[in-house]
Amino acid sequence: MPATFQAIGTLPEATFFCSGGNFQSHSTPIAMRVSRLMLVTLRDVPADAEIASQQLLIRGGYIRRVGSGIYAYLPLMWRVLQRVMRVVREEMNQIGALETLLPQLQPAELWEKSGRWQGYTAGEGIMFHLEDRQERSLGLGPTHEEVITELASDLLKSYRQLPVTLYQIQSKFRDEIRPRFGLMRGREFIMKDAYSFHGDEADLASMYAEMERAYTRVFQRCGLTAVGVDADSGAIGGAASQEFMVTADAGEDLILISPDGDYAANQEKAVSIAPPALPLPGGESQVISTPGQITIDALCSAQSLDPSQVTKVLLLLAKLESGDEQPVLVCLRGDQELNEVKLVNALTQQLDSPVLDLNPINAEQLKSQGLQPLPFGSIGPDLSDDHLTGARSWRNTFYKLADTTAAELDRFVCGANTRDEHRWGCNWSDLGAIPAMDLRNARAGDHCVHRPDQRLEERRGIEVGHIFQLGRKYSQSMGAQITTKEGKQEHLWMGCYGIGISRLAQAAVEQHHDDAGMIWPLSIAPFQVIVVVANVQDEVQMALGEEIYNELRASGIDVLLDDRGERAGVKFKDADLIGIPWRVVVGRAAAEGNVELVQRSERDANVLSRAEAISSLLEAIPTELRVQL
Ligand code: ATP
Ligand code: MG
């Protein structure tokens, strides 16, 4: 290879590769040059990009939107994803999980067998589904419990084969109601999903704990601050479930954490001690006139009440998988909010059919059911079922539930079931008791259950992983059994474990960026070092840039060479934007054999000799991270 180049990008490619010698250390593979990277960066924030990480990934030429919730991963992004996948694979292999690849096109029969076809395709179901030319229904995999359980029931016959854990990394498809924030909530996205099979519950619990540790390592190795939080385990009940949340203001989830760090939960699941209610002053029970006071705020300010002295009533319609439409009446203390996830779980369990949809009942719906209007704003817990007589398709009794904080009130104010009237000084023995359970949202400031002297704090989180003890739900519905040591037939115990690979990569940017651009953690950066040649027309600069590039590559470091004929300022801006952790600037000082070394996260430049720069980089980039893609 000649020692100096001019306008290197214009040399015929053959010149590079036929010049003999050691290809690895003496030539620059074309793909590692910015001039050949198809890199298009944008100065302006794309109009439809809402959060910083999404804006930066688009501006930095990492991703391009192809359709709603559908993105192309451009070469820089693909390198990041490959690095994330590498970490995930290492940690999965480490705990003995076997990599596999399951079909994305899944026959409806499998989902009918588990009982999930209807829920995933009807109503707000998120499975893309289609019919083939033989009119057979198929779904595009949003998740793989059905496929894997079918395989397990076919392949696993004896306790001797257990435990076994399989994982795969592939694109998942979900017709999300609100795809948004770029890769955060896509309709096609990359997930690692794993499934484990066990002979008993204790063995499942031990794999679950192992996964939890592996997940913690994955997120740590990817440079993310992630918290494990108690998560909703749906209506299956009992089974443990944990989500891993990358804390960031742009997170869609609300998480509640105790200051001592011993409790952390998704708000969907979180429990707390509610503040005590203010006692309602004594006096005769009476009906009070409350014209126009149809909200808790209006009622409380007009009647000088504290919201905790009021029992409010919500009317909702639950659409069940069985096809039934169940009117639901929920009582809450006036200062508390309904937790819909808790309510859906309670209803699913008690009504013996999954809830597909839960929405407030409004005047229009009553009309279309042929029912009389209801005095919304003045409804009380004892609203009579007579109001539902003659409903066209709804069940004709209310399913009534109360949140514990409402059920614990001794005397309270509530609606009188007549427009513009409330009742003052009610109690449950007069109104009729309603089954009580925890149906409210825990909130920041509430006292913690595990330590009442601590108060919950809130943070926003991005769910990057979810581990789940499924128990025997799928093995039972799909008939996956093994023969035990004692010769009995028993259903398998199962766990499932997901990581949103593409979401994780974007979450890393959400956690690590500044005004100038992304700041990739070294372990998942598309390249570890970028060598920016300030003036590519300058032979000395270009030659020194090439040499440093080659030397770093020879040490196993992934390096990008900015060989574009752009102004230096443009190249520096792009380097900041694309966020490569280390930058070597080869400029005028090249004449003295010196370069500038800049760490992206610090942005302060050190002038060093070429040898010093290289040895600093070798020190900063540990051997285990020197993996070339
Ligand atoms: P969410 O509550 O955010 O909709 P989920 O609980 O439905 O997610 P899981 O079924 O637990 O998701 O999937 C495992 C992981 O896949 C999630 O922890 C998340 O990181 C990722 N993931 C889920 N949905 C999406 C999506 N639409 N786009 C990108 N990643 C996703
Ligand atoms: Mg989840």
Side-chain angles (χ1 to χ4, degrees):
M1 213 68 191
T4 57
F5 284 113
Q6 218 168 1
I8 218 147
T10 61
L11 281 174
E13 283 159 31
T15 318
F16 286 97
F17 295 107
C18 301
S19 55
N22 182 338
F23 165 79
Q24 177 71 19
S25 59
H26 293 292
S27 70
T28 310
I30 288 190
M32 307 309 166
R33 294 166 174 272
V34 178
S35 60
R36 300 300 188 90
L37 206 57
M38 212 170 76
L39 181 70
V40 177
T41 56
L42 310 173
R43 290 287 157 249
D44 297 323
V45 175
D48 54 351
E50 294 159 273
I51 60 173
S53 53
Q54 176 190 16
Q55 293 165 356
L56 292 172
L57 287 173
I58 296 172
R59 286 186 48 213
Y62 280 71
I63 58 172
R64 269 284 191 278
R65 184 180 177 279
V66 173
S68 165
I70 307 172
Y71 283 84
Y73 310 120
L74 297 175
L76 284 176
M77 190 73 220
W78 183 237
R79 294 179 72 91
V80 173
L81 293 170
Q82 279 178 282
R83 291 211 193 272
V84 174
M85 291 189 276
R86 203 188 156 87
V87 171
V88 171
R89 280 201 174 92
E90 280 176 12
E91 293 298 340
M92 288 298 106
N93 297 345
Q94 178 75 25
I95 59 170
L98 306 165
E99 186 161 3
T100 185
L101 190 59
L102 303 172
Q104 285 152 318
L105 208 46
Q106 307 182 4
E109 295 86 75
L110 286 183
W111 288 74
E112 270 151 11
K113 213 164 160 184
S114 71
R116 291 209 295 180
W117 178 257
Q118 176 76 355
Y120 267 75
T121 55
E124 293 186 354
I126 45 125
M127 182 151 65
F128 287 104
H129 51 107
L130 56 127
E131 269 186 11
D132 67 12
R133 61 181 82 234
Q134 271 97 30
E135 293 175 8
R136 285 182 298 232
S137 294
L138 298 155
L140 278 182
T143 180
H144 280 73
E145 282 82 6
E146 279 71 7
V147 173
I148 197 98
T149 311
E150 183 76 358
L151 286 169
S153 86
D154 194 17
L155 298 171
L156 299 174
K157 298 291 178 204
S158 155
Y159 73 94
R160 285 195 199 90
Q161 293 169 282
L162 301 178
V164 57
T165 303
L166 295 165
Y167 77 95
Q168 61 171 348
I169 300 179
Q170 65 167 196
S171 293
K172 292 279 187 277
F173 299 88
R174 295 186 181 182
D175 195 359
E176 297 279 356
I177 294 165
R178 277 227 292 167
R180 57 185 194 153
F181 298 160
L183 307 185
M184 292 288 189
R185 187 167 296 284
R187 295 197 301 160
E188 176 177 339
F189 59 95
I190 304 177
M191 194 201 285
K192 183 286 299 182
D193 46 331
Y195 306 87
S196 66
F197 296 95
H198 311 268
D200 58 51
E201 196 172 6
D203 198 46
L204 165 59
S206 97
M207 185 65 203
Y208 179 83
E210 184 117 53
M211 275 287 179
E212 186 184 336
R213 291 189 288 272
Y215 271 44
T216 306
R217 289 194 297 270
V218 165
F219 302 125
Q220 244 165 25
R221 288 182 58 185
C222 290
L224 291 168
T225 308
V227 214
V229 304
D230 287 354
D232 172 49
S233 45
I236 306 166
S241 162
Q242 232 194 341
E243 288 164 345
F244 291 83
M245 296 283 183
V246 166
T247 46
D249 291 342
E252 288 187 287
D253 286 272
L254 186 71
I255 57 183
L256 292 163
I257 299 181
S258 66
D260 65 5
D262 287 348
Y263 181 77
N266 192 316
Q267 193 189 36
E268 292 177 354
K269 162 93 178 180
V271 292
S272 69
I273 301 170
L278 292 189
L280 193 68
E284 287 288 296
S285 306
Q286 54 176 299
V287 173
I288 52 174
S289 168
T290 53
Q293 296 157 30
I294 58 168
T295 63
I296 294 291
D297 278 356
L299 176 72
C300 289
S301 67
Q303 305 293 332
S304 306
L305 289 165
D306 183 81
S308 68
Q309 297 167 320
V310 180
T311 290
K312 64 181 171 190
V313 168
L314 307 178
L315 294 187
L316 302 139
L317 186 71
K319 291 199 176 135
L320 307 181
E321 200 176 80
S322 60
D324 284 355
E325 295 173 300
Q326 173 67 61
V328 177
L329 182 153
V330 184
C331 301
L332 291 168
R333 210 170 77 183
D335 61 333
Q336 299 300 314
E337 291 159 10
L338 175 67
N339 180 312
E340 281 194 27
V341 173
K342 291 179 183 175
L343 178 62
V344 165
N345 290 344
L347 292 172
T348 296
Q349 241 169 29
Q350 296 177 21
L351 301 173
D352 236 11
S353 171
V355 174
L356 297 183
D357 224 10
L358 186 71
N359 281 303
I361 290 177
N362 59 35
E364 206 121 292
Q365 290 168 312
L366 291 169
K367 205 164 152 197
S368 65
Q369 287 293 311
L371 300 173
Q372 291 302 308
L374 286 170
F376 288 111
S378 289
I379 293 176
D382 53 346
L383 184 71
S384 163
D385 288 335
D386 294 349
H387 290 282
L388 295 174
T389 309
R392 295 218 169 94
S393 58
W394 295 358
R395 288 185 180 171
N396 55 15
T397 52
F398 287 109
Y399 195 83
K400 294 188 179 181
L401 289 172
D403 176 60
T404 319
T405 53
E408 281 169 353
L409 290 174
D410 284 334
R411 292 177 77 249
F412 51 89
V413 172
C414 67
N417 297 320
T418 307
R419 183 170 299 283
D420 295 339
E421 285 184 359
H422 280 77
R423 285 167 290 180
W424 199 91
C426 288
N427 63 53
W428 290 106
S429 47
D430 292 344
L431 296 176
I434 291 178
M437 63 197 62
D438 178 29
L439 292 175
R440 69 183 174 86
N441 275 336
R443 290 193 288 227
D446 286 357
H447 291 274
C448 300
V449 173
H450 77 291
R451 258 188 69 181
D453 63 320
Q454 301 249 317
R455 284 171 184 268
L456 290 175
E457 291 170 1
E458 70 176 36
R459 303 243 202 304
R460 309 262 2 149
I462 300 165
E463 181 194 324
V464 287
H466 195 167
I467 57 175
F468 205 134
Q469 292 188 32
L470 291 170
R472 293 187 289 188
K473 177 181 152 85
Y474 293 94
S475 60
Q476 279 168 346
S477 58
M478 302 192 65
Q481 290 189 323
I482 44 128
T483 311
T484 65
K485 215 176 199 160
E486 294 75 34
K488 283 194 295 186
Q489 286 292 299
E490 272 184 13
H491 288 109
L492 284 162
W493 290 82
M494 219 178 133
C496 74
Y497 319 89
I499 292 182
I501 302 282
S502 43
R503 185 186 281 184
L504 181 160
Q506 186 174 329
V509 178
E510 200 55 47
Q511 230 172 31
H512 303 285
H513 68 268
D514 62 16
D515 290 345
M518 300 167 244
I519 307 172
W520 286 104
L522 194 55
S523 56
I524 60 170
F527 292 92
Q528 294 151 336
V529 179
I530 181 167
V531 176
V532 180
V533 178
N535 177 6
V536 293
Q537 307 299 334
D538 180 323
E539 287 178 21
V540 178
Q541 288 186 24
M542 199 60 215
L544 185 58
E546 284 278 343
E547 282 168 26
I548 294 174
Y549 173 91
N550 285 328
E551 222 170 302
L552 291 171
R553 278 225 27 111
S555 305
I557 292 172
D558 247 340
V559 199
L560 184 62
L561 180 70
D562 196 345
D563 60 337
R564 293 175 300 168
E566 302 280 353
R567 279 182 297 115
V570 170
K571 291 191 272 196
F572 297 156
K573 270 213 164 73
D574 278 345
D576 278 343
L577 177 61
I578 67 175
I580 311 297
W582 290 95
R583 171 158 108 217
V584 179
V585 181
V586 186
R588 285 203 193 97
E592 293 87 55
N594 288 337
V595 296
E596 267 182 19
L597 183 62
V598 187
Q599 189 172 6
R600 175 63 186 83
S601 56
E602 311 296 330
R603 297 182 79 188
D604 50 342
N606 277 320
V607 178
L608 301 172
S609 71
R610 158 205 168 148
E612 285 166 340
I614 287 174
S615 70
S616 301
L617 287 170
L618 292 180
E619 209 169 293
I621 303 168
T623 357
E624 67 271 17
L625 292 188
R626 292 191 212 153
V627 177
Q628 284 166 340
L629 294 175

